[in-house]
Amino acid sequence: MTKTDFTDAIALLKADHRKVESLFEAFEAATASSKKKSIAHEICVELKVHTLIEEEIFYPAFRGKIEDDTLDEAYVEHDGAKLLINDIEASDPSADFYDAKVTVLSEEIKHHVHEEEMPSDGMFAQCRKTDVDLVALRDAMAERKAELMTQAKGAGLAPAEPVTLGRVPA
């Protein structure tokens, strides 16, 4: 993936959304345990990378420029997904509730994507109305994503770290 594969940061994120949606569909169609495990792992890697680039680069760029509630909810939605991702990664298709966890993760992601992509008042629509340079943001995100994907293929990624759940308010 090169920086110019996508017109801007939002296009990059939407492409990630479409890829994960297709992976969830492939998981639903799979019957062999080895295939389910492989697809579930790919889903988890994609989601860990996606949440990291959003939380490290995209969301901070819009803090104070779009509704704080929108960003706060996105972080909490990520954390819910991260808990399932870590559980799925630590398990296998023979475990109780494995398929159910992947299904619930899929449902959570569909909701999250809907919140981001709603045409008039979704996060992305709000972001487009700001003065943030979405092309420069794309470049930073594409670079970080490439680093994380290289790490995922090598030593692997660490478990997903929730940032809002389990924290004691200050």
Side-chain angles (χ1 to χ4, degrees):
M1 172 186 73
T2 64
K3 294 175 187 174
T4 56
D5 287 345
F6 309 101
T7 54
D8 63 22
I10 292 171
L12 184 152
L13 294 174
K14 284 183 171 183
D16 283 357
H17 293 169
R18 302 297 82 82
K19 180 170 186 177
V20 171
E21 287 167 356
S22 69
L23 287 169
F24 279 121
E25 288 172 10
F27 181 87
E28 288 176 26
T31 54
S33 288
S34 61
K35 187 70 172 166
K36 283 184 170 201
K37 178 82 172 166
S38 172
I39 296 168
H41 174 70
E42 190 174 355
I43 289 167
C44 292
V45 167
E46 290 291 332
L47 289 174
K48 285 198 273 188
V49 169
H50 182 83
T51 59
L52 281 167
I53 65 172
E54 280 188 328
E55 291 174 4
E56 291 176 359
I57 301 167
F58 190 79
Y59 293 169
F62 293 98
R63 182 62 76 184
K65 296 179 182 288
I66 67 170
E67 295 174 10
D68 280 343
D69 287 351
T70 300
L71 287 169
D72 292 348
E73 289 172 18
Y75 279 104
V76 174
E77 288 170 355
H78 277 190
D79 279 1
K82 289 174 185 179
L83 296 174
L84 282 170
I85 288 165
N86 290 340
D87 224 29
I88 292 164
E89 286 275 82
S91 187
D92 66 63
S94 66
D96 290 343
F97 307 110
Y98 186 85
D99 284 8
K101 289 174 184 178
V102 176
T103 299
V104 170
L105 178 61
S106 172
E107 291 166 356
E108 286 185 6
I109 297 303
K110 282 178 190 166
H111 170 80
H112 180 73
V113 166
H114 174 75
E115 294 284 313
E116 287 185 340
E117 294 186 7
M118 278 191 300
S120 59
D121 58 349
M123 179 187 290
F124 292 167
Q126 290 181 46
C127 292
R128 288 207 181 279
K129 295 174 187 169
T130 70
D131 61 353
V132 173
D133 184 342
L134 291 170
V135 173
L137 209 55
R138 171 207 64 198
D139 293 349
M141 291 166 56
E143 185 175 319
R144 180 66 173 134
K145 183 175 180 176
E147 291 170 7
L148 290 166
M149 292 306 279
T150 299
Q151 181 181 339
K153 289 177 182 149
L157 298 171
E161 285 281 333
V163 294
T164 68
L165 297 177
R167 290 177 57 186
V168 177

